[in-house]
Amino acid sequence: MASQKGVILLNFWASPFGQRVCIALAEKGVEYEYKEEDLSSKSELLLKSNPVHKKIPVLIHDGKTVCESLTIVQYIDEVWSDKAPLMPSDPYQRAQARFWADYVDKKMYDGGSRLWKLKGEEQEAAKKEMIEMLQLLQTQLGDNKYFGGNTFGFVDVALVPFTSGFYTFEMCANLNVEAVAPGIIAWAKRCQERESVAKALSDPKNIYEIVSMEYP
């Protein structure tokens, strides 16, 4: 069994990327020290721990640093392998999980931020793209309970933090996710029944508050 000593997470409360790590740690039952970062005045520890990107989240384990959220989640899955795995055992299914988690990484954050940054025709174009993304993910989910079938796993961890932004989509761009991708909302509700997810996700109205302050 891997050591749980010296596990530190550098994070910012509203970050969906950091929330992924919180969920993975909770799923594995790992105790850790949480350090909240002020992204306008980053700590020396963060700058030292992630000198390349200077971003959260960063996991520190026994003095060693791991950066980038999907990499961290995979690290957690491999190190604390005595608990239920987040990645499938089948190589093809693992490859598929990595593909869809990467898709989420490349599309959801930028796509969502465009909804509240842009106005007019540009926002409508961004809205159309987001609807297409959500419906594609809904198709991939199909009738399964989770993206990994009946097992909560890697893709679920990658995507579910972004659901806290759905309220902001509606308020900023009049995009009702339940209307265009009801399967994603039903999946999100199932995920939120898990303690690991419920404790990690930010309140949607708090997310909207910080977005509306930055982009009034």
Side-chain angles (χ1 to χ4, degrees):
M1 184 175 177
S3 169
Q4 294 190 18
K5 293 181 180 179
V7 181
I8 301 169
L9 174 61
L10 310 183
N11 190 31
F12 171 62
W13 69 269
S15 169
F17 304 104
Q19 289 166 27
R20 290 171 170 174
V21 179
C22 292
I23 292 168
L25 288 167
E27 285 287 324
K28 295 289 187 171
V30 178
E31 295 182 4
Y32 62 98
E33 180 181 355
Y34 181 96
K35 290 183 179 290
E36 180 74 8
E37 285 287 333
D38 178 355
L39 300 185
S40 64
S41 180
K42 297 174 182 177
S43 71
E44 287 299 319
L45 180 60
L46 174 58
L47 298 176
K48 178 183 176 182
S49 300
N50 189 358
V52 176
H53 298 301
K54 303 178 176 64
K55 293 180 179 180
I56 52 89
V58 174
L59 185 76
I60 304 173
H61 181 211
D62 288 337
K64 300 174 182 177
T65 60
V66 187
C67 304
E68 297 296 297
S69 63
L70 291 181
T71 301
I72 296 171
V73 171
Q74 290 180 76
Y75 174 85
I76 291 167
D77 196 34
E78 293 172 6
V79 170
W80 288 281
S81 57
D82 54 310
K83 297 293 178 68
L86 297 172
M87 289 290 280
S89 59
D90 177 75
Y92 176 74
Q93 293 300 325
R94 281 203 304 276
Q96 289 296 101
R98 291 190 182 103
F99 173 87
W100 285 107
D102 182 66
Y103 177 84
V104 169
D105 232 23
K106 291 176 178 176
K107 296 289 188 177
M108 284 300 298
Y109 183 78
D110 287 342
S113 63
R114 290 178 67 216
L115 290 177
W116 57 72
K117 290 178 181 178
L118 303 176
K119 303 295 181 184
E121 291 183 2
E122 289 183 323
Q123 187 187 63
E124 285 301 310
K127 182 176 173 180
K128 181 181 177 182
E129 288 180 15
M130 177 58 72
I131 291 171
E132 290 173 352
M133 281 189 277
L134 291 166
Q135 291 178 339
L136 177 59
L137 288 165
Q138 179 175 255
T139 299
Q140 176 63 22
L141 176 65
D143 295 326
N144 294 322
K145 184 177 181 180
Y146 300 114
F147 280 92
N150 288 321
T151 304
F152 182 80
F154 190 59
V155 181
D156 305 293
V157 174
L159 179 58
V160 74
F162 289 99
T163 63
S164 289
F166 288 174
Y167 177 75
T168 302
F169 293 0
E170 186 167 5
M171 298 302 292
C172 291
N174 195 30
L175 172 52
N176 184 319
V177 175
E178 189 163 21
V180 300
I184 292 296
I185 294 298
W187 159 83
K189 289 177 179 177
R190 287 193 294 273
C191 290
Q192 289 165 19
E193 291 172 358
R194 303 181 73 85
E195 185 178 1
S196 64
V197 176
K199 286 188 173 181
L201 296 195
S202 299
D203 186 311
K205 292 185 178 179
N206 290 341
I207 297 296
Y208 174 62
E209 183 179 349
I210 63 170
V211 168
S212 58
M213 288 174 62
E214 190 168 354
Y215 301 99

